[in-house]
Amino acid sequence: MQPREAGAGLPVTTAGNPGVSLETVVAWLRTHLGDTLGVAPDSLDGDAPLAVYGMTSLVSAMLLADLEDAFDIAVDPADVPPDVSLTGVAEIAVAAQG
């Protein structure tokens, strides 16, 4: 998977920009995941477990790699619980900014 345009004026990358907000990461994840799954980003419930959308551990790891490429935020897949939501991934990523 390659990082996709985030749309809505969001930058594709914010490398070197500390303090990426939760809202920015949620919006990027919603758009990226929607593109990956072929669904409208607004149809994704930010609080639903990603497994509801058919996310496997492999797709989840790829999503985390794309997140790192987009925001220069490394999230260890071991730190992401299996029942995590889109908002949960964003919270973990924001906390990982250091």
Side-chain angles (χ1 to χ4, degrees), residues 66-77:
D66 290 347
L67 177 71
E68 183 173 3
D69 289 344
F71 294 103
D72 198 26
I73 300 171
V75 175
D76 185 338

Side-chain angles (χ1 to χ4, degrees), residues 1-20:
M1 257 186 254
Q2 293 296 318
R4 293 178 178 83
E5 285 294 323
L10 295 175
V12 173
T13 182
T14 57
N17 181 11
V20 176

